[in-house]
Amino acid sequence: MSLSMPDVGLAVGSAAQAATISPLALFLQADIVVKVVMLGLLLASIWTWAMIIGFSFTLRKASRQSRAFEQDFWKAEDIDRFYEARGKSEFPAARVMAAGVTEWRRSTAQKVIDREGTRDRLSTAMSSTIAAEVDRLSDRLNILATIGSVAPFVGLFGTVWGIMRAFTSIAAEQNSSLAVVAPGIAEALFATAIGLFAAIPAVIAYNRFSHGINRMESGLTRFADGFYSTLSRELEAQR
């Protein structure tokens, strides 16, 4: 059975409209379930970019301050004077130094100094501070990991639901032409696209931030080891 000219024109017009349809139109024409999925993924995407921008500034600032602090520390001639001037700053390297100096003063305040115990306590104090700083910096990275792993599946759920709706339209209209099924399939695929739009930046940002935090942890560990060696030599000099 062939289509008449008006039917052919209508089908071509519907197909052209589907081909040039806007994202807003796809959202407005979608089923309520697909709309909820799209809105959730859009909010997740906005949240992801807000975290990326905010965490980028935080990590960059902490790294810059810690590097400058370490450089100035190794140039200082008097550790106590340097600590009084800058040891109470609120960034990772300063906190590591503060933990070491605090434990040093407590351990050497005794009449009889336990050298091995002092070394163990110094190492534990600075290692614990490094771990606490890393945990504090990476506190919300799990959100990026969650969005990166879950968003594609949420989008896939919207896709499956949209395709089910498209097949329902085929059964209701008893017409399997592309003009009938294209809008529903387009809405379904749009949900997948939003899911990927939320997931891809989240995964990339998570990997980059994890690498940056690992580098900072390595830098803090090297600084703590150097400071520990300095205090250990000072401990040996005390008789």
Side-chain angles (χ1 to χ4, degrees):
M1 180 178 178
S2 61
L3 290 174
S4 64
M5 291 303 295
D7 293 335
V8 172
L10 181 60
V12 172
S14 300
Q17 182 181 4
T20 58
I21 201 165
S22 66
L24 180 60
L26 287 173
F27 172 78
L28 294 176
Q29 294 176 9
D31 182 77
I32 183 62
V33 175
V34 181
K35 283 182 179 178
V36 171
V37 169
M38 290 180 180
L39 285 175
L41 292 173
L42 184 60
L43 292 175
S45 179
I46 294 173
W47 194 4
T48 296
W49 282 106
M51 288 189 61
I52 290 173
I53 294 172
F55 197 84
S56 296
F57 284 111
T58 300
L59 186 59
R60 189 180 298 112
K61 181 180 179 181
S63 299
R64 184 177 63 252
Q65 290 177 332
S66 292
R67 284 195 302 267
F69 182 88
E70 292 175 28
Q71 292 174 359
D72 294 340
F73 172 81
W74 294 119
K75 295 177 183 178
E77 298 180 357
D78 190 328
I79 293 178
D80 288 329
R81 185 179 301 172
F82 183 85
Y83 172 73
E84 295 301 330
R86 301 182 56 184
K88 298 179 181 179
S89 301
E90 298 295 326
F91 47 85
R95 290 192 176 103
V96 172
M97 180 192 178
V101 171
T102 301
E103 184 56 47
W104 166 265
R105 290 178 175 178
R106 289 175 179 174
S107 297
T108 57
Q110 307 297 326
K111 293 182 178 180
V112 179
I113 300 176
D114 180 5
R115 289 180 170 80
E116 291 302 319
T118 299
R119 289 190 178 95
D120 291 341
R121 287 189 292 271
L122 285 171
S123 177
T124 300
M126 288 189 285
S127 297
S128 299
T129 302
I130 291 173
E133 290 300 308
V134 171
D135 288 342
R136 183 179 63 84
L137 286 173
S138 59
D139 181 40
R140 296 186 179 182
L141 283 187
N142 62 321
I143 297 176
L144 291 178
T146 302
I147 292 175
S149 60
V150 172
F153 294 100
V154 176
L156 182 61
F157 170 75
T159 298
V160 172
W161 189 274
I163 291 176
M164 289 172 56
R165 183 168 174 261
F167 280 114
T168 303
S169 298
I170 293 175
E173 299 186 18
Q174 297 182 352
N175 188 347
S176 60
S177 67
L178 184 62
V180 174
V181 300
I185 295 177
E187 297 162 9
L189 295 177
F190 187 53
T192 300
I194 298 178
L196 294 176
F197 182 75
I200 292 174
V203 172
I204 294 174
Y206 176 80
N207 291 332
R208 292 301 303 168
F209 291 152
S210 296
H211 176 67
I213 289 176
N214 289 337
R215 289 184 59 186
M216 174 169 284
E217 183 178 9
S218 298
L220 292 175
T221 301
R222 289 192 297 269
F223 173 69
D225 290 343
F227 189 35
Y228 173 84
S229 298
T230 300
L231 295 177
S232 181
R233 288 191 295 269
E234 182 69 21
L235 190 64
E236 287 295 328
Q238 296 184 4
R239 299 297 180 182

